[in-house]
């Protein structure tokens, strides 16, 4: 640990405390998950459903795309309703109408205000009172409610079939005809929807909040934010302000100013290594990155168009073959695959650099095997998605080979296991290159941090295997966010930070001391908020107040390190002037600058906008979430993966000269297109939905009538402009990569000397004192100091 002992112990202490908290509060999720009754009966002991039939309904919902077609408890797609909020509102209205006819002989709408208020009081009492009996594992409901359930279930059965009277509704919801052909499975799915609505309406304890902390907003039964919601929202804002203040104070008063800038070498040190066979084999990885990126952006435009023409693409009915739920699944999965591939390629390129310019034995074979395994998982998972949503795949195979139904982990379990094994194999390939370097003498702290992040990436994806097909959805959500939030937003963030620091250190552009200290400090800040901050996704997923308290408190701290990323971006961009050869990588550098900008805006500003419990209560499941998701997923991780891709491309094609015009179009049109997409369409739609959610209820903000209003319909059309700009930028970047891989421009090769010769040449041109200082401070330590010989 040496001089970094305090930083290391701070990071270790933070990880120990935050994972202990994540695990301890996670047990609360298991203990307090809303019960799935063994049987649901009427007061006359008529059996309506069982735990098995409800879970059968959960698997039926998964098979049609699950969270890619509408949402449950606010998690999922945004065009169709949130089925929890929609079911609840329909059932409540059915109950009121039945009660009005029973008691007054007319429909509810025909009653005067006094009688309507009286019935609403009865409604609230009937629905919020918990009639689940844990001793018998039985939920007892009234005869009237049983009738309301039956009416609502009939509507859903017709909606998910091809009933002609609901064809227009299916089109507005971007559902294909006969979404779920099997009548019995439609009935079971309706039971699952009922259970999610029951948990959202029933008080966990008498005179308390519902199992979902009073979500969704539903005035008919007085579902409104709890006192705890408001308290922890205020606390999160206060902590954010305090955290930013402390960070600025620390930045101003504790940051060392006596660190001298290193003298950049005359020649790029990374080019002093001859390309190894495994590095030369990375071209196909880069091609897959841009191929999947191209597919993803076109699928994104296709998916967005479904929000204005629910079953057609400019008049051509394509929903029977490629429905919204399928193309949205492919859109998200393609993004995850190409972004992950970009990170994997960056790691595989660095492994030989870390190992002193040498490949471990059979490293190229391993790189090739990993590539074809990746192709198999992509093709297999996409095919399985298609067969599942087309209802071709047998129901019993769906979870394993088809569609899990959960956003971001949609791929069938077999393909998920394949992906995990692939990432674990990448870990092995990385450690084979890192291990020998760690055994060399010298300062290995930065390399140790990079190694730890590689191990975390290799292992933590396995959290997605902790739940099964019939696992309680609250428990599933806990583990799903380990993957979506902790694995991606946590450990990939640390890997990116350490990898960039290592690259700049290896280039001799920043000192080893500064790179190591900054990386360790950044990792501590990311993990402090990021690990327990996982719970901010679970406020309303059947969890209790401690989950809300921990999630709100720590997730506010996630924003804190993002406020200084503008300075980091400027420092990175300034490096392009450090040496003439830095002009060769100015475009990857600019992409890294873009990452810092969108980290601040997309992850920071737009993320915190929906983060406090009081905010998320009204906007969960609205287009405000999509605004944050697009800005953070592409703006941060997408641009970072493209930056890594361009950087690796530049080194494995030494004769390449980036086309400045093509790259300028690519970079600026991507960023401008993303901004247009967000601020001319997604965010305005989300803000208008927020007003509707706060005033009328979540059901209304996601309703057919509201979403098809002229204003929102036109705003969704406006998104086409930003999408086109974005697609042009994407095609420009992708063509540059393809051109660089297969038709590189002829120019003077960038260095071919051996490592020792190149270093000698670089430093012989400066005086001995400067040379000694530069070598000592710039060497990243991966070679054990051998290059100083």
């Amino acid at each position: 640990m040496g001089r970094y002992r305090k930083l290391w112990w701070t990071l270790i202490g933070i990880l120990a405390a935050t994972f202990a908290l994540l695990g301890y509060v996670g047990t609360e999720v298991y203990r307090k998950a809303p019960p799935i009754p063994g049987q649901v009966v009427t007061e006359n002991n008529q059996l309506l459903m069982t735990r098995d039939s409800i879970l059968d309904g959960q698997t039926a919902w998964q098979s049609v795309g699950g969270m890619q077609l509408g949402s449950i408890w606010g998690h999922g797609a945004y065009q169709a309703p949130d089925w929890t909020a929609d079911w609840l509102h329909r059932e409540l209205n059915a109950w009121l109408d039945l009660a009005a006819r029973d008691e007054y002989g007319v429909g509810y709408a025909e009653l005067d205000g006094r009688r309507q208020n009286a019935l609403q009081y009865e409604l609230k009492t009937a629905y919020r009172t918990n009639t689940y009996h844990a001793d018998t594992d039985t939920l007892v409901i009234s005869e009237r409610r049983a009738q309301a359930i039956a009416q609502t279930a009939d509507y859903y059965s017709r909606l998910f079939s091809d009933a002609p009277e609901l064809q227009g509704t299916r089109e507005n919801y971007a559902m294909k005809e006969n979404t779920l052909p099997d009548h019995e499975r439609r009935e079971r799915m309706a039971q699952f929807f009922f259970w999610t609505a029951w948990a959202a309406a029933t008080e966990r304890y008498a005179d308390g909040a519902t199992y979902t902390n009073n979500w969704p907003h539903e005035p008919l039964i007085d579902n409104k934010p709890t006192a705890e919601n408001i308290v922890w929202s205020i606390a999160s804002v206060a902590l954010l302000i305090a955290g930013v203040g402390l960070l600025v104070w620390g930045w101003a008063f504790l940051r060392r100013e006596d660190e001298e800038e290193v003298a950049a070498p005359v020649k790029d040190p990374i080019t002093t290594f001859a390309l190894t066979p495994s590095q030369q084999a990375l071209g196909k990885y880069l091609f897959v990155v841009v191929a999947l990126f191209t597919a993803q952006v076109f699928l994104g435009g296709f998916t967005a168009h479904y929000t204005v023409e629910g079953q057609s693409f400019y008049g051509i009915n394509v929903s029977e073959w490629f429905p919204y739920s399928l193309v949205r699944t492919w859109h998200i999965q393609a993004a995850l695959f190409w972004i992950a591939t970009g990170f994997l390629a960056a790691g595989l390129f660095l492994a030989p650099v870390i190992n002193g310019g040498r490949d471990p034995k059979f490293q190229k074979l391993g790189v090739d095997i990993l590539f074809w395994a990746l192709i198999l998982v992509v093709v297999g998972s996409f095919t399985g998605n298609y067969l599942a949503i087309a209802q071709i795949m047998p129901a019993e195979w769906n979870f394993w080979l088809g569609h899990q139904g959960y956003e971001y982990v949609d791929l069938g379990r077999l393909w998920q296991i394949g992906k995990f094994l692939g990432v674990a194999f990448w870990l092995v390939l990385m450690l084979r290159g890192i291990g020998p370097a760690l055994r060399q003498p010298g300062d290995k702290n930065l390399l140790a941090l990079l190694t730890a992040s590689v191990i975390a990436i290799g292992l933590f994806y396995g959290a997605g295997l902790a739940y099964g097909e019939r696992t309680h959805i609250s428990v599933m959500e806990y583990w799903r966010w380990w993957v979506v939030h902790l694995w991606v937003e946590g450990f990939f963030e640390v890997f990116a930070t350490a990898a960039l620091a290592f690259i700049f250190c290896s280039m001799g552009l920043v000192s080893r001391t500064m790179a190591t200290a900054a990386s360790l400090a950044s990792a501590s800040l990311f993990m402090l908020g990021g690990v327990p901050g996982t719970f901010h996704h679970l406020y309303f997923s059947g969890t209790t107040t401690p989950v809300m308290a921990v999630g709100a408190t720590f997730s506010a701290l996630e924003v804190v390190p993002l406020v200084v990323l503008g300075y980091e971006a400027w420092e990175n961009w300034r490096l392009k002037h450090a040496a003439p050869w830095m002009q060769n990588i100015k475009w990857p550098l600019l992409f890294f600058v873009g990452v810092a900008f969108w980290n601040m805006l997309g992850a920071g500003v737009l993320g915190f906008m929906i983060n406090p419990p009081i905010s998320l209560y009204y906007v969960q499941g609205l287009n405000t979430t999509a605004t944050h998701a697009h800005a953070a997923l592409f703006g941060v991780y997408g641009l970072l993966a493209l930056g890594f891709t361009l950087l690796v491309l530049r080194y494995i094609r030494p004769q390449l000269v980036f086309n400045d015009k093509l790259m300028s179009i690519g970079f600026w049109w991507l960023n401008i297109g993303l901004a247009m997409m967000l601020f001319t369409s997604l965010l305005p739609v989300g803000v208008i939905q927020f007003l509707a959610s706060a005033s009328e209820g979540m059901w209304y903000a996601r309703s057919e009538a509201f979403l098809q209003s002229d204003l929102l319909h036109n705003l969704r059309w406006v998104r086409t402009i930003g999408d086109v700009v974005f697609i042009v930028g994407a095609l420009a970047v992708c063509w540059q990569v393809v051109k660089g891989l297969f038709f590189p421009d002829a120019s003077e090769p960038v260095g071919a000397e051996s490592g020792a010769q190149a270093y000698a040449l670089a430093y012989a041109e400066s005086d001995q004192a400067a040379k000694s200082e530069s070598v000592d401070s710039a060497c990243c330590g991966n070679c054990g100091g051998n290059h100083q010989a």
Side-chain angles (χ1 to χ4, degrees):
M1 292 184 181
R3 71 179 78 178
Y4 312 106
R5 186 178 303 274
K6 290 182 179 179
L7 289 171
W8 272 114
W9 282 115
T10 298
L11 177 58
I12 292 169
I14 285 172
L15 287 173
T18 53
F19 271 101
L21 186 60
L22 184 68
Y24 176 77
V25 179
T27 62
E28 182 87 353
V29 176
Y30 276 84
R31 291 196 307 267
K32 300 296 185 180
I36 303 176
Q39 55 182 1
V40 180
V41 300
T42 67
E43 292 168 338
N44 293 331
N45 210 33
Q46 177 189 357
L47 180 65
L48 298 179
M49 60 192 81
T50 65
R51 176 184 291 109
D52 285 341
S53 67
I54 291 171
L55 291 175
D56 285 345
Q58 178 175 306
T59 64
W61 164 73
Q62 292 167 345
S63 74
V64 297
M67 291 179 176
Q68 301 296 355
L69 183 63
S71 57
I72 291 289
W73 289 346
H75 294 301
Y78 311 110
Q79 184 64 12
D82 180 88
W83 303 117
T84 301
D86 188 71
W87 176 288
L88 179 59
H89 189 73
R90 290 180 184 279
E91 186 188 324
L92 294 177
N93 277 292
W95 189 99
L96 286 171
D97 203 60
L98 288 167
R101 295 187 186 281
D102 288 345
E103 298 183 24
Y104 303 110
V106 296
Y108 177 75
E110 301 173 55
L111 297 177
D112 58 35
R114 180 177 61 82
R115 291 177 176 177
Q116 285 186 344
N117 288 338
L119 286 181
Q120 284 189 30
Y121 177 80
E122 291 184 38
L123 177 77
K124 176 184 173 182
T125 302
Y127 274 75
R128 294 187 70 90
T129 300
N130 196 334
T131 57
Y132 169 71
H133 303 283
D135 53 343
T136 61
D137 196 19
T138 301
L139 172 63
V140 180
I141 61 175
S142 68
E143 297 294 331
R144 181 180 294 163
R145 185 168 186 179
Q147 294 180 56
I149 292 170
Q151 288 184 20
T152 310
D154 175 68
Y155 164 80
Y156 274 92
S157 183
R158 290 182 290 116
L159 177 66
F160 280 82
S161 70
D162 55 1
E165 68 274 14
L166 292 177
Q167 191 279 326
T169 299
R170 282 190 292 274
E171 183 174 5
N172 289 332
Y173 289 165
M175 297 171 62
K176 70 170 187 167
E177 296 298 305
N178 218 10
T179 302
L180 185 57
D182 188 290
H183 176 73
E184 182 180 355
R185 298 190 77 206
R186 291 200 300 268
E187 289 184 338
R188 299 295 175 88
M189 185 172 66
Q191 293 177 11
F192 172 65
F193 289 165
F194 156 75
W195 174 80
T196 67
W198 171 81
T202 302
E203 292 176 353
R204 186 185 294 272
Y205 307 111
D207 299 320
T210 70
Y211 285 105
T212 57
N213 286 313
N214 284 359
W215 191 93
H217 181 216
E218 178 51 79
L220 286 175
I221 55 170
D222 209 20
N223 261 16
K224 60 185 181 182
T226 63
E228 292 86 356
N229 183 312
I230 297 170
V231 167
W232 289 110
S233 296
I234 295 172
S236 71
V237 174
L239 281 169
L240 171 64
I241 296 172
V244 171
L246 288 172
L247 181 65
V248 171
W249 182 84
W251 188 265
F253 296 103
L254 301 181
R255 185 167 61 100
R256 292 182 60 185
E257 298 287 355
D258 58 346
E259 187 73 37
E260 294 184 9
E261 291 191 10
V262 300
V266 177
K267 207 171 190 65
D268 182 353
I270 292 181
T271 65
T272 64
F273 301 108
L275 285 172
T276 68
S278 73
Q279 289 176 321
Q280 292 173 336
L282 292 176
K284 52 183 173 288
Y285 281 79
L286 306 188
F287 179 77
V288 167
V289 168
V290 296
L292 285 174
F293 180 38
T294 301
Q296 189 238 339
V297 296
F298 278 105
L299 285 167
F302 194 2
T303 305
H305 191 78
Y306 266 142
T307 67
V308 292
E309 282 189 274
Q311 295 179 335
S312 303
F313 186 76
Y314 292 100
I316 303 172
N317 188 349
V318 292
S319 65
E320 293 305 304
W321 301 279
F322 303 103
Y324 173 88
S325 56
L326 176 65
V327 295
R328 190 177 191 271
T329 298
W330 283 350
H331 172 62
I332 292 176
Q333 286 302 304
L336 297 179
F337 277 125
W338 75 257
I339 290 171
T341 303
F343 276 75
L344 299 185
L348 293 173
F349 174 79
L350 280 178
V353 176
I354 294 169
N355 196 37
R358 299 179 301 275
D359 268 345
K361 193 175 183 180
F362 302 122
Q363 183 80 350
K364 180 182 181 299
L365 177 62
V367 168
D368 290 339
I369 291 173
L370 178 60
F371 173 80
W372 291 112
L374 170 68
I375 296 300
L376 176 64
V377 170
V378 171
V379 173
S381 63
F382 276 36
T383 303
N385 294 154
Y386 177 85
L387 295 175
I389 292 176
Q391 295 295 298
I392 296 172
M393 182 173 288
E396 61 271 19
W397 295 2
N398 174 74
F399 183 82
W400 282 90
L401 295 175
H403 201 302
Q404 288 190 41
Y406 299 126
E407 194 177 28
Y408 295 106
V409 284
D410 306 270
L411 68 174
R413 175 52 57 87
L414 180 65
W415 313 117
Q416 186 183 17
I417 292 172
K419 186 175 179 179
F420 172 65
L421 292 177
V423 176
F425 186 59
W426 173 79
L427 168 62
V428 172
L429 295 176
M430 291 294 297
L431 292 181
R432 294 175 78 240
I434 293 173
L438 284 173
R439 292 191 291 270
Q440 296 291 330
D443 184 349
K444 295 296 182 294
N445 284 274
L446 180 58
L447 185 57
L449 179 62
L450 180 64
T451 305
S453 68
V454 167
I455 293 172
I457 288 173
L459 299 180
F460 270 84
Y461 184 74
L465 305 177
Y467 60 85
E469 180 178 9
R470 298 169 74 85
T471 298
H472 193 295
I473 193 170
S474 295
V475 173
M476 179 283 302
E477 283 286 66
Y478 172 69
W479 291 111
R480 182 172 77 95
W481 288 109
W482 271 59
V483 176
V484 181
H485 177 91
L486 188 57
W487 186 62
V488 175
E489 298 182 40
F491 293 114
F492 266 104
E493 190 87 48
V494 174
F495 170 77
T497 299
L500 285 175
F502 190 89
I503 289 169
F504 292 143
C505 177
S506 298
M507 288 177 173
L509 301 174
V510 295
S511 71
R512 181 187 61 235
T513 303
M514 285 295 292
T516 305
S519 297
L520 284 168
S522 296
S524 295
L525 287 172
F526 288 140
M527 294 293 99
L528 176 62
V531 176
T534 304
F535 285 123
H536 85 261
H537 299 282
L538 303 175
Y539 294 154
F540 313 116
S541 296
T543 56
T544 53
T545 299
V547 170
M548 181 180 293
V550 172
T553 301
F554 284 91
S555 61
L557 299 178
E558 289 184 79
V559 184
V560 171
L562 305 182
V563 301
V564 297
L565 287 180
Y567 179 82
E568 177 191 319
W570 168 247
E571 289 291 293
N572 290 344
W573 181 240
R574 221 163 47 92
L575 292 176
K576 74 185 180 72
H577 301 296
W581 51 264
M582 280 295 291
Q583 290 298 314
N584 295 330
I585 59 169
K586 71 173 183 179
W587 287 110
L589 275 181
L590 192 57
F591 274 79
F592 298 147
V593 172
V595 169
F597 172 79
W598 286 108
N599 230 330
M600 179 274 296
L601 180 60
V605 176
L606 297 176
F608 191 74
M609 176 184 72
I610 64 173
N611 186 72
I614 190 63
S615 174
L616 199 60
Y617 179 84
Y618 292 109
V619 304
Q620 179 161 290
L622 305 184
N623 276 268
T624 45
T625 305
T627 304
H628 161 61
H630 281 78
L633 184 59
F634 177 77
V636 179
Y637 297 100
L639 286 180
L640 188 56
L642 290 177
F644 280 146
T645 298
L646 292 170
L647 191 67
V648 173
L649 174 66
R650 183 64 190 80
Y651 284 113
I652 67 173
R653 295 293 185 269
Q655 71 273 34
L656 170 67
V657 175
F658 285 121
N659 184 312
D660 282 344
K661 183 176 181 181
L662 194 60
M663 288 305 302
S664 181
I665 291 173
F667 177 80
W668 291 110
W669 284 51
L670 276 174
N671 283 275
I672 293 170
L674 178 60
M676 291 175 66
M677 184 193 314
L678 300 179
F679 298 113
T680 66
S681 181
L682 285 175
L683 186 58
V685 170
V687 170
I688 295 169
Q689 282 184 297
F690 163 58
L691 295 173
S693 174
S695 59
E696 301 290 335
M698 173 59 64
W699 69 272
Y700 180 65
R702 291 279 294 275
S703 68
E704 177 184 9
F706 185 73
L707 284 176
Q708 296 306 317
S709 64
D710 290 342
L711 176 59
L712 294 190
H713 188 76
N714 291 336
L715 283 173
R716 292 198 298 275
W717 267 112
V718 167
R719 178 177 167 176
T720 304
I721 303 172
D723 284 354
V724 170
V725 172
F726 186 90
I727 289 171
V728 171
L731 291 177
V733 173
C734 292
W735 174 240
Q736 174 66 89
V737 173
V738 171
K739 188 168 175 282
L741 286 171
F742 301 108
F743 318 104
D745 295 330
S747 66
E748 182 180 351
V750 185
E753 300 88 357
S754 69
Q757 289 171 336
Y759 265 83
L761 176 64
Y763 291 106
E765 299 180 8
S766 59
D767 62 84
Q768 183 62 35
K771 168 186 171 184
S772 175
E773 174 66 23
S774 176
V775 171
D776 178 66
S777 61
C779 177
C780 60
N782 59 288
C783 60
N786 293 335
H787 288 313
Q788 299 176 40

